[in-house]
Amino acid sequence: MISANVMVPSDSTAAGDFDRHSRDVYGWAYRILGHHHDALDVVQDVFLKWTKQCSRSHPREARGWLRRVTINRAIDLQRAKRVKTVDEGGLEDSANHTARDESALTETDAGALRTDIVSALDRLTEIQRSVLVAKIYDEWTFAGIADELGLSVSTVKTHYLRGVRAVRDRLRPRWSLEYAT
Amino acid sequence: MNCQRFESMLADALGDELSPDDRSLFDGHLASCDGCHREYDADRQTIDALKKLPGPEAVTMERVGPRVFLSPLSETPRPGFTTTARRSAFRFAAAILISFTTGYALHAGLMMDRAVEDPTPVISAVVASAETHDTDTLASALALVHQRNPARSDLAKCMIAMFDGSKN
């Protein structure tokens, strides 16, 4: 039985906001970490930050705040757990991976891909990370993301494209992605 | 359409938000420009790779006072007895009852008590009701056993009481 026993703040508004988004918090953390218990640890950490934040001022957009903090915390945790370090821009081994063919990914490859993706996300700005996660995993529209983050639609699109390109450049050395030479 | 215009549509294309008209223009340029095609393909593969990070299975959230419990849907227990647990309990009780009834019938036969009627129909009714999970027939069979031999059917009384309780 995998469950989280998370203390919820007594303030009803803050508690209600956390209730509404707790599954999403868990989902975002799980995407980054790929492990239930680690994701639950992040849920707990994010809750603590949420209570501290709400004791000062309630964020205008709870979901956007929670997404940003959850991703940051999950990446921090993943970074701390990483055993192997990868040289900056270098090849860890001579194996050539193809990210396109999902069926070809062994469990080792899947783990390596996750590590590289999280490493790539770590190098993005917070806004780029939030936009990418909201667009790719939450499947929000650009207009919806713009509204949540208080940005223009064109700015969101720019962050999205730059984020994708940054991740692409990070994955390129180890994963066969076609790119313009 | 030129490459500059293509670039301005790239975010919408990668975000699956191109209008149908723009989509046909976009695809037309893709087919004719190798450079833009390679860029788009690499970006698309990157997004596909990002999507490979699997999400969790659906979880349920239950709040009990100040505590929130998150559990995967597949592991969420249903409140009270499940149908499987209920059937297992019924079969166990039926097995005990069949054993008792058979033993009772044999005992009655050995005692040569002419007041005891042939218990075979009762045993058949008990076995049939166990197979079909028919609690009413089972309760009736028990009552019949008790009625015919009240002095020797204390266990039957207990079984009747137990099934009456479970039906409620």
Side-chain angles (χ1 to χ4, degrees), chain B:
Chain B
M1 186 170 70
N2 59 23
C3 296
Q4 194 174 0
R5 173 93 169 106
F6 176 87
E7 185 76 11
S8 71
M9 298 167 74
L10 199 50
D12 284 329
L14 292 171
D16 300 319
E17 289 192 28
L18 273 182
S19 66
D21 290 341
D22 284 347
R23 185 82 231 181
S24 59
L25 284 173
F26 187 87
D27 289 343
H29 184 78
L30 263 186
S32 62
C33 180
D34 287 342
C36 289
H37 192 286
R38 280 199 299 273
E39 284 282 325
Y40 174 75
D41 214 30
D43 293 338
R44 178 55 72 182
Q45 287 182 59
T46 302
I47 292 171
D48 291 343
L50 284 165
K51 286 183 178 176
K52 279 193 177 72
L53 291 184
E57 58 180 293
V59 294
T60 58
M61 192 198 76
E62 186 181 345
R63 199 157 160 213
V64 181
R67 296 177 182 273
V68 176
F69 294 90
L70 288 164
S71 304
L73 270 177
S74 58
E75 294 187 24
T76 303
R78 291 167 56 187
F81 275 117
T82 63
T83 303
T84 306
R86 200 175 289 126
R87 280 188 183 152
S88 297
F90 185 93
R91 285 179 183 149
F92 178 74
I96 292 179
L97 182 62
I98 290 171
S99 301
F100 161 74
T101 307
T102 305
Y104 171 83
L106 287 174
H107 176 73
L110 286 173
M111 292 295 291
M112 302 297 285
D113 186 348
R114 298 299 175 194
V116 176
E117 294 180 23
D118 183 2
T120 305
V122 174
I123 296 173
S124 299
V126 167
V127 172
S129 63
E131 289 174 348
T132 60
H133 299 179
D134 183 353
T135 54
D136 289 336
T137 303
L138 188 58
S140 300
L142 285 169
L144 186 59
V145 169
H146 169 67
Q147 183 186 10
R148 289 172 178 172
N149 291 284
R152 296 179 182 181
S153 62
D154 290 338
L155 182 57
K157 291 180 202 172
C158 293
M159 299 300 284
I160 291 170
M162 185 182 82
F163 278 104
D164 281 345
S166 71
K167 278 197 301 183
N168 298 331

Side-chain angles (χ1 to χ4, degrees), chain A residues 1-6 8 19 22-23 31 99-100 117 135 137 141-142 157 160 165 168 176 178 180, chain B residues 10 12 14-15 17 39 41-43 45-46 50 52-53 59 61 63 66-72 75:
Chain A
M1 167 90 169
I2 296 165
S3 62
N5 194 352
V6 178
V8 178
D19 281 355
S22 60
R23 286 191 197 86
R31 291 261 191 201
R100 184 193 289 275
I117 286 175
K135 187 65 184 155
Y137 300 126
T141 62
F142 287 125
K157 290 180 183 180
Y160 178 68
R165 292 268 165 91
R168 183 192 73 182
S176 298
E178 293 181 25
Chain B
L10 199 50
D12 284 329
L14 292 171
E17 289 192 28
E39 284 282 325
D41 214 30
D43 293 338
Q45 287 182 59
T46 302
L50 284 165
K52 279 193 177 72
L53 291 184
V59 294
M61 192 198 76
R63 199 157 160 213
R67 296 177 182 273
V68 176
F69 294 90
L70 288 164
S71 304
E75 294 187 24

